Amino acid sequence: SMWIVNRSDVYDATLEALTKHSIAEIARRATEKLQKRRSTLAVLVPPEIDMPLHEIPDHSVEDVLGHPLAPFDAVAFFARSWNEDHRASSALSLTRRLLEHPPSWMPNDPELKSMAQIFGTMLTDDSSPFVRAYCARVPLLEERDLERAIKHESNPFVFGRLLQNPGLTPELFEEAVLRALEAPAMTT
């Protein structure tokens, strides 16, 4: 439980449940994290990137993506990297950013649509289950991307992460459970 509460990509609903945990330290940490997320006072400054993204050395990518206010253009850039660690980190970075410091996007914002498209495509098309598992947690995936992933994902770990996505409708959840029951490999 402490591992879950300390993750940067843990959803508010999970934190709310953990505020009632029987271990006081876990409940305290979950409460603290929720209060921090819901605070209107934010004094973070986005990272300064003093070189073109394509010139950032591999060992410095995490300095950009690991920042709570990682720029969306950097997240999108590293989502297209040949390096699976960069792609997974970009999905984790986006999820963290959306959960901890949500932008004030308008419903048809091009940046919102672009991010949803990038990570929706990665969810089903990336060759790495490691990357797909991180993409499955991105909270802005569209229903059609989740549906396509539920129908075609064969990796049980990725499939389990899909079931945790808050965008999953009750109908898609039911379809996923039925699929898992029909495919014993999904439940191992």
Side-chain angles (χ1 to χ4, degrees), residues 33-44:
K33 200 164 187 174
L34 274 173
Q35 287 173 340
K36 201 173 196 180
R37 281 190 182 173
R38 294 174 176 163
S39 171
T40 56
L41 179 63
V43 291
L44 283 176

Side-chain angles (χ1 to χ4, degrees), residues 29-146:
R29 176 71 175 122
T31 301
E32 174 186 286
K33 200 164 187 174
L34 274 173
Q35 287 173 340
K36 201 173 196 180
R37 281 190 182 173
R38 294 174 176 163
S39 171
T40 56
L41 179 63
V43 291
L44 283 176
V45 177
E48 285 190 35
I49 302 171
D50 55 359
M51 64 179 66
L53 293 172
H54 68 276
E55 291 180 12
I56 294 176
D58 283 351
H59 66 273
S60 296
V61 169
E62 285 302 318
D63 294 337
V64 175
L65 294 177
H67 192 284
L69 293 178
F72 291 115
D73 62 332
V75 170
F77 178 82
F78 290 111
R80 295 178 175 99
S81 173
W82 61 269
N83 184 319
E84 80 173 356
D85 288 334
H86 295 175
R87 297 191 313 273
S89 288
S90 69
L92 174 60
S93 181
L94 177 62
T95 300
R96 176 185 187 187
R97 174 76 193 274
L98 295 173
L99 295 176
E100 294 182 352
H101 303 283
S104 52
W105 279 326
M106 299 304 285
N108 290 316
D109 190 299
E111 189 171 49
L112 168 66
K113 288 195 173 287
S114 173
M115 297 306 275
Q117 182 179 19
I118 290 167
F119 288 92
T121 300
M122 286 173 64
L123 173 63
T124 54
D125 295 353
D126 199 282
S127 61
S128 168
F130 174 65
V131 173
R132 293 194 314 274
Y134 276 100
C135 290
R137 305 230 347 120
V138 173
L140 58 73
L141 295 172
E142 295 181 1
E143 185 177 343
R144 65 185 159 89
D145 296 317
L146 291 167

